[in-house]
Amino acid sequence: MPRPAGVTVWRTPGERIALRWRRRPAAVASLLFLLLIPLGLGVLLTGTFEIGLGDLCAAAAGTAEPSIARVLGLIRAPRLVAGIAVGAALGVSGAVFQSITRNPLGSPDVIGFVTGAATGAIVAILVFEAPPWAVSGAAVLGGVLTALLVGGLSLRGGSGGGYRIVLVGIGAGALLAAVNDLLMTHSQRDEALAAQMWLVGTLNARDWSEVLPTLVAMVVLLPVLLGVRHGLAVLELGEDQARQVGVRVGAVRLVALAVAVALAAFATATAGPIAFVALAAPQLVTRIGKATSVSLVGSAAMGAVVLVTADLVSQHLPLNLSAPVGLVTGVLGGVYLLWLLGRGR
C-alpha cells in the first residue's frame, strides 16, 4: 500500500514493531516542547527574589546558597512543574473530548466536568473544613461524579451523540455553577475566602504534594490513551465507519473518557479550575500542524506552553498588577471562544 504524503514510518529490525507519524504535526509538537525550555527559565529566574543563570546551575549541582536553593526547590520548581503537568493534562483531556464529541466545544471545562470538580472542592472546604489533601481528593471525586451524571443522561434513550454530550454537559455545568454560588453565599466569611482563592485557579504556593498526583497521573494514563489513539482517530470519522474497520467503539470510548475525566479532575485538584486551556490547546495545535485529527502529544505540549505562558503573564502584568493564572487564561480563552463562534465552527 502506498504511504500517504507527509507520513514517516520507523520499524524495528524484523519489523516486529512499527511507529508511524506525520512529519508536520510531529515537528510542531517538538518545537512546542523546545519552547518550554525558555519559558521554564523565565519561571525559575524571574520574580521578587532575583536569581541568575549561574545560581540555577549551582542549585542543579547542589552548591547554591541555602536561600536560593529553598526558593528554587520549594517555590519556583513546583510552580513550573505544576504548570507543565496541569497544562498538559488539560490539553490531553480536551483532545479526547473533542475527538469523541467531534465538536471543538467538547471540552471538560465547557461541558461541566471542571465545574463538578470545583463543586467537590467547595463542599470539602465549606462543609467539612477539609485539609488540602482531602480537598484535592474531593475535586477528583466531584469531577468523576459529574462525568457519570453527564454520561448517563447523554446516553439515555439511545446512543449518545457528540452534540448530546455537549448540551447535557453545558446544562450540568450551569446547574453546578449555581450550586457553587449558593454554597459560597451561605458560608462563613473566612471559609468563603478560602474557597474563593481555590476557585480562581492559581499556581501560587503549589508544593510537591499537590503537584505529584497530576504528574503521576500523566505518566501512568497518557500511555493508556496512546494505546487507543488509532481508535480515537477513526472515531472522528463517525461510529459507523469505525465499526466497519473493526474498531471496538464502546471499549475505546469508555477507556478514553475515563482517562480524560481523571486527567481533568487531577489537574483541577492541583491548580483549581483553569479555564479554556483544554478547549483551545487541541484546536491550536491541530490548526498549526494542519493535522487531520486531534493530536494527543501535540495537545499536551500546547496545553503546557499555554499555561506556563499565562503564568508568566500573570506574574509580570504592567503597573505591578498581579492576577491568578486562571483569570489570565479566562480572558485569553474568552477572546478565542468569541473568535471560534464568530467563524461558525
Side-chain angles (χ1 to χ4, degrees):
M1 178 181 292
R3 184 186 306 168
V7 173
T8 297
V9 179
W10 175 84
R11 294 182 174 87
T12 59
E15 299 189 357
R16 290 186 177 182
I17 299 176
L19 297 177
R20 173 175 173 159
W21 67 88
R22 292 186 178 277
R23 287 191 287 273
R24 184 179 175 100
V28 170
S30 301
L31 289 174
L32 289 170
F33 281 119
L34 289 175
L35 185 57
L36 283 173
I37 296 175
L39 291 173
L41 289 175
V43 173
L44 293 174
L45 300 181
T46 60
T48 54
F49 189 91
E50 291 189 7
I51 293 178
L53 194 57
D55 297 324
L56 182 62
C57 295
T63 58
E65 296 179 9
S67 58
I68 293 176
R70 281 196 297 272
V71 170
L72 286 174
L74 301 180
I75 299 176
R76 295 186 185 176
R79 183 183 191 125
L80 173 62
V81 176
I84 293 173
V86 170
L90 291 175
V92 171
S93 182
V96 171
F97 279 106
Q98 291 178 14
S99 288
I100 291 178
T101 62
R102 291 190 291 164
N103 191 322
L105 293 178
S107 171
D109 49 348
V110 174
I111 59 182
F113 298 159
V114 172
T115 309
T119 302
I122 290 175
V123 169
I125 294 172
L126 300 182
V127 179
F128 299 103
E129 300 182 8
W133 64 268
V135 172
S136 298
V140 174
L141 181 61
V144 171
L145 292 178
T146 305
L148 293 175
L149 173 67
V150 172
L153 292 176
S154 62
L155 290 173
R156 191 174 181 180
S159 177
Y163 76 94
R164 189 175 172 86
I165 294 177
V166 173
L167 292 178
V168 172
I170 290 174
L175 176 62
L176 290 169
V179 171
N180 295 348
D181 291 339
L182 186 63
L183 289 170
M184 296 285 289
T185 302
H186 289 81
S187 62
Q188 298 296 321
R189 184 173 180 273
D190 291 343
E191 297 165 345
L193 284 176
Q196 187 62 44
M197 289 180 62
W198 190 88
L199 275 176
V200 295
T202 180
L203 296 175
N204 292 337
R206 301 298 95 173
D207 60 37
W208 289 113
S209 66
E210 296 168 299
V211 176
L212 283 178
T214 302
L215 198 60
V216 172
M218 279 296 295
V219 172
V220 173
L221 296 179
L222 186 56
V224 177
L225 275 181
L226 293 177
V228 298
R229 70 185 187 284
H230 174 69
L232 273 177
V234 178
L235 263 177
E236 292 182 28
L237 303 175
E239 293 184 11
D240 293 337
Q241 289 88 339
R243 289 193 177 93
Q244 287 175 4
V245 297
V247 173
R248 298 171 63 189
V249 173
V252 170
R253 177 180 287 159
L254 180 62
V255 170
L257 282 178
V259 172
V261 168
L263 288 176
F266 276 109
T268 305
T270 295
I274 301 291
F276 291 110
V277 174
L279 174 73
Q283 289 299 309
L284 290 174
V285 78
T286 300
R287 293 172 189 276
I288 295 173
K290 295 183 179 179
T292 54
S293 61
V294 177
S295 166
L296 296 177
V297 176
S299 298
M302 180 61 82
V305 167
V306 169
L307 189 54
V308 174
T309 302
D311 185 37
L312 276 173
V313 171
S314 73
Q315 295 183 64
H316 301 286
L317 289 172
L319 303 177
N320 292 324
L321 297 175
S322 63
V325 68
L327 293 182
V328 175
T329 60
V331 172
L332 297 177
V335 175
Y336 169 76
L337 185 59
L338 289 175
W339 173 80
L340 192 69
L341 295 174
R343 287 171 57 91
R345 305 295 295 272

